[in-house]
Amino acid sequence: MRILQIQGLRALAALLVTIFHARLVPGGFIGVDIFYVISGYLITGLILREIENTGSLDLQAFYQRRIKRLLPTSVFVLFCTAVVGMFVLPAITRDALGRDLFAAAAYISNYLFAWWQNDYQNLNATPSPFIHYWSLAVEEQFYVVWPIFLLFLARYGKRAIFYGISLTTAASLLLSVYQTQTSPIWAFYSLPTRAWELGVGALLLFIPESVWRNRFIPWIGVIGIGIATFNFNENTAFPGINAVLPVVATALLIGSISSWPRLFNDLSNNRLAQWLGAISYPLYLWHWPALVLPSSALGRPLRIRETFLCILLTIVLAH
């Protein structure tokens, strides 16, 4: 079942990342964190409903659905980006194109980009056109291990599932806080330091509906996302403790959907927001090559008019 408000949140997340890379807002990278909370909530709900209804989980069917949903668009964008990149990227960076293409296609780019010291928040003049695939790698790695983990916990009952998710989320958050201070690039890219964000989304399934009836909760969520968007920047230590703000804010918005004021529903449920939510995945895939490849071809940063044209191109390609 498609939840209209979550489609609106998807649209917001994709737009935030796009305008962050267009250098229009300093903290738009939190769009990735919004995506993670949404994914943890939806995918865990899907898995637990199947376990509850059938007593088990068809892992093969689960993985097939993920592959069919995510892989065709991902591979197509990779192919198009690689072809264009061969013509427009400087020769000095073209040698790394095949290396980065392999990393993205194999869904291990998060670890390889960390190994190669590609700082996502402080990208150099000619960054990899595939660097945004790191977040997809984290999500796909999560999809591989999470259903097996939940299936194991389900053998011991619903309480075991709740405690297992809670402990995993807490441990991942503690590791994220620690590693953000000691190895910030690895903290940014790795699944163990990002899993807590998806875990927070999963934990929403265990919170009673009555908790969300306070009409101020959605406003707190929006304010939290706004503060992170405009106050965070490329020098913000992230994820770690700073990521708690956008993650909890997103969780508050998802949990309190039934209490959203009319303004929020109007903004998220209209035709434009729903359309952007529906194309949010290809929008995320296209936005970075649509911004970085023209800049590389011109040999200079994009001017403001060119930036908006590239954002328009992103939306057209995503559609």
Side-chain angles (χ1 to χ4, degrees), residues 217-231:
I217 292 177
W219 288 99
I220 295 171
V222 166
I223 291 169
I225 288 176
I227 290 172
T229 299
F230 294 102
N231 281 17

Side-chain angles (χ1 to χ4, degrees), residues 15-223:
L15 288 174
L16 282 177
V17 176
T18 300
I19 62 178
F20 164 69
H21 280 139
R23 301 186 183 279
L24 299 176
V25 293
F29 55 84
I30 66 159
V32 171
D33 307 274
I34 296 173
F35 273 127
Y36 284 161
V37 179
I38 293 172
S39 294
Y41 173 72
L42 293 178
I43 209 68
T44 305
L46 185 152
I47 292 170
L48 294 184
R49 281 192 296 274
E50 182 173 340
I51 292 174
E52 186 175 343
N53 293 335
T54 67
S56 186
L57 176 66
D58 188 337
L59 287 172
Q60 182 176 349
F62 173 84
Y63 292 131
Q64 285 177 344
R65 287 194 300 268
R66 295 298 95 201
I67 290 170
K68 288 178 181 178
R69 179 178 175 84
L70 301 175
L71 204 60
T73 307
S74 172
V75 170
F76 179 69
V77 175
L78 276 177
F79 173 77
C80 293
T81 303
V83 171
V84 176
M86 285 295 295
F87 291 98
V88 304
L89 288 174
I92 194 170
T93 62
R94 207 175 298 152
D95 293 340
L97 193 67
R99 179 196 72 179
D100 294 349
L101 174 63
F102 166 78
Y107 286 99
I108 55 173
S109 59
N110 55 327
Y111 291 112
L112 291 182
F113 286 142
W115 182 263
W116 297 327
Q117 296 289 298
N118 283 326
D119 190 342
Y120 183 80
Q121 289 170 277
N122 295 277
L123 296 172
N124 57 35
T126 53
S128 169
F130 305 118
I131 198 167
H132 61 310
Y133 270 74
W134 76 268
S135 64
L136 303 182
V138 170
E139 201 157 339
E140 289 303 302
Q141 291 156 16
F142 178 82
Y143 288 158
V144 169
V145 300
W146 196 242
I148 298 171
F149 179 58
L150 293 182
L151 196 56
F152 168 76
L153 292 174
R155 298 166 58 185
Y156 303 98
K158 192 170 183 178
R159 183 174 293 181
I161 297 174
F162 170 71
Y163 286 130
I165 294 175
S166 298
L167 289 171
T168 302
T169 302
S172 172
L173 174 56
L174 290 173
L175 179 62
S176 180
V177 172
Y178 170 76
Q179 203 162 34
T180 299
Q181 299 170 356
T182 59
S183 305
I185 290 182
W186 284 96
F188 192 92
Y189 284 118
S190 73
L191 174 62
T193 51
R194 288 287 189 166
W196 69 273
E197 301 183 26
L198 295 115
V200 167
L203 287 172
L204 288 172
L205 296 161
F206 298 89
I207 299 176
E209 180 68 27
S210 59
V211 171
W212 305 110
R213 289 177 184 163
N214 189 312
R215 60 192 176 92
F216 293 109
I217 292 177
W219 288 99
I220 295 171
V222 166
I223 291 169

Side-chain angles (χ1 to χ4, degrees), residues 3-6 9 37 41 200-201 203-205 207-223 225 247-265 268-269:
I3 303 171
L4 297 181
Q5 291 87 344
I6 287 183
L9 287 175
V37 179
Y41 173 72
V200 167
L203 287 172
L204 288 172
L205 296 161
I207 299 176
E209 180 68 27
S210 59
V211 171
W212 305 110
R213 289 177 184 163
N214 189 312
R215 60 192 176 92
F216 293 109
I217 292 177
W219 288 99
I220 295 171
V222 166
I223 291 169
I225 288 176
V247 167
V248 170
T250 304
L252 291 176
L253 280 169
I254 294 173
S256 65
I257 280 174
S258 61
S259 301
W260 278 22
R262 182 176 178 179
L263 172 64
F264 291 5
N265 282 312
S268 68
N269 299 358

